[in-house]
Amino acid sequence: YRVAPASAKATIPTVSFATTAEAAIALKSPNPATRYIAWQKLRTAGAEAEPELLKLWADTNPRVRSRALFLLAQIKGRENIHLTAGLSDPDPQIRTATFRLIRTLTRSRGLASSVLETNQALAAKLVKDPSPQVRREMALSLHGAKDIAPMWAALAQQHDGKDRWYLEALGIGAAGQEDACLTAWLAAVGEKWNTPGGRDIVWRLRSPATAEYLAKILTDQA
């Protein structure tokens, strides 16, 4: 159904995919089928489409910018350059989308896993990102990575006991490395572990070592 004033006349926009410039314009369409065809054209073009995609990357609409980034990050040899730009973007929506893209590419193509490993300054900045949404995505991106304990502990210290999605992201990120993550977190917080956020973390981690701390929580008269 189309709801419009009686005097309104529906028009169907003319769409062309003949060139990368036209396909880039079509990628901004609200119509999923149009975007799909544009996506395929631009993805097939590879590096040839980069100039047009960079124009979309400069757009004011974060959704358009995200669509451009998802293609820019798949240009062979340019993946980490564009992913680093996404993680450094001032818009938290773009930073969040970039973490999701990293997980997608790491799973499907084995790409992008070294972005934060090779840019320690960026990793240190993102661990303290002002947006909890970005930090949640960072926690999720640790799942399956190596030597995550220090970064995970830094993220865990920022859990305030109020954001259950942040807690679940920490749990998923630590899966398979719970012992190392718990050890690193306890080393960082010391005797100050018994807070609302700390009790959440002890409860959520599936480490045998949490039993001792769970017992302390249960027997705490306060």
Side-chain angles (χ1 to χ4, degrees):
Y1 294 94
R2 181 174 183 270
V3 181
S7 59
K9 301 219 172 157
T11 58
I12 300 175
T14 301
V15 182
S16 174
F17 308 96
T19 66
T20 55
E22 290 172 328
I25 293 172
L27 193 65
K28 299 172 74 172
S29 171
N31 182 277
T34 300
R35 289 202 305 272
Y36 174 80
I37 299 172
W39 171 282
Q40 295 300 330
K41 169 74 176 181
L42 293 165
R43 188 177 184 185
T44 302
E48 181 188 338
E50 188 172 21
E52 296 301 328
L53 289 170
L54 286 172
K55 292 178 185 177
L56 294 183
W57 174 239
D59 200 278
T60 56
N61 187 325
R63 288 173 292 282
V64 172
R65 298 185 67 223
S66 181
R67 292 172 196 169
L69 180 63
F70 269 62
L71 283 162
L72 284 166
Q74 297 188 63
I75 297 174
K76 191 172 181 179
R78 303 281 290 170
E79 300 94 346
N80 282 9
I81 292 173
H82 294 302
L83 288 169
T84 300
L87 290 173
S88 306
D89 197 83
D91 188 339
Q93 294 183 87
I94 297 296
R95 298 197 299 277
T96 298
T98 306
F99 270 118
R100 292 174 181 170
L101 176 57
I102 287 173
R103 292 205 304 276
T104 299
L105 294 181
T106 302
R107 284 196 305 265
S108 65
R109 300 174 61 185
L111 301 175
S113 58
S114 64
V115 177
L116 294 177
E117 294 172 11
T118 57
N119 193 332
Q120 294 299 314
L122 178 59
K125 180 181 176 182
L126 287 165
V127 162
K128 297 181 179 179
D129 197 283
S131 169
Q133 182 181 15
V134 174
R135 297 198 308 275
R136 286 198 302 262
E137 292 299 328
M138 188 175 193
L140 290 169
S141 72
L142 297 178
H143 181 75
K146 296 179 181 178
D147 304 320
I148 67 169
M151 193 175 293
W152 186 93
L155 290 167
Q157 288 176 74
Q158 298 172 78
H159 174 53
D160 58 8
K162 298 177 181 178
D163 186 343
R164 62 191 179 119
W165 301 116
Y166 194 96
L167 177 66
E168 186 59 22
L170 289 172
I172 293 170
Q177 301 183 62
E178 291 93 344
D179 290 345
C181 288
L182 179 65
T183 300
W185 174 72
L186 287 172
V189 299
E191 294 299 318
K192 296 181 179 177
W193 68 270
N194 195 0
T195 64
R199 291 191 290 273
D200 273 356
I201 289 169
V202 168
W203 171 83
R204 179 59 182 83
L205 281 182
R206 304 297 186 252
S207 167
T210 60
E212 174 189 349
Y213 293 91
L214 287 169
K216 290 179 180 179
I217 294 169
L218 290 168
T219 57
D220 187 347
Q221 295 301 312

